[in-house]
Amino acid sequence: MKITGTIEFPDPKSRKSAARILKALSPDNLRSMESEISDERVAVRFHSEKIGSLLATVDDFLMNVKIGEGVEQTLEKENKREV
């Protein structure tokens, strides 16, 4: 049995941020995941034969996204201070 799941970033602001983070994370993509980045959609699709593997992959991915968001927010704050 193949299990699939998709995380999509729907609003325009989150899509822009998610696209930057996904591009940065793409070298670490596993064979069990695909990223789609376009003007209309930013999404990541996961698939696995085992639910435990799928959950572990999604958990790792979301942790990396959270770290990416933190880096992005820190850079934005620093840029505002410099202006």
Side-chain angles (χ1 to χ4, degrees):
M1 176 167 68
K2 193 170 196 174
I3 304 163
T4 63
T6 303
I7 297 174
E8 188 169 344
F9 301 87
D11 77 47
K13 185 177 179 184
S14 71
R15 271 200 310 262
K16 187 176 179 182
S17 177
R20 286 193 299 262
I21 293 169
L22 288 180
K23 286 177 187 175
L25 294 176
S26 66
D28 290 332
N29 282 2
L30 301 172
R31 285 180 267 140
S32 61
M33 57 193 291
E34 297 93 32
S35 301
E36 179 183 341
I37 301 171
S38 69
D39 290 338
E40 300 82 33
R41 179 178 160 107
V42 174
V44 181
R45 184 171 166 253
F46 302 89
H47 52 88
S48 179
E49 299 289 324
K50 299 177 183 176
I51 189 72
S53 298
L54 182 76
L55 292 173
T57 301
V58 170
D59 185 55
D60 288 346
F61 172 78
L62 291 175
M63 183 56 68
N64 289 335
V65 168
K66 183 178 179 182
I67 292 167
E69 286 177 328
V71 169
E72 191 170 68
Q73 289 170 358
T74 300
L75 290 172
E76 286 175 2
K77 287 178 186 176
E78 286 180 10
N79 287 338
K80 287 179 183 178
R81 281 188 234 154
E82 291 176 3
V83 173

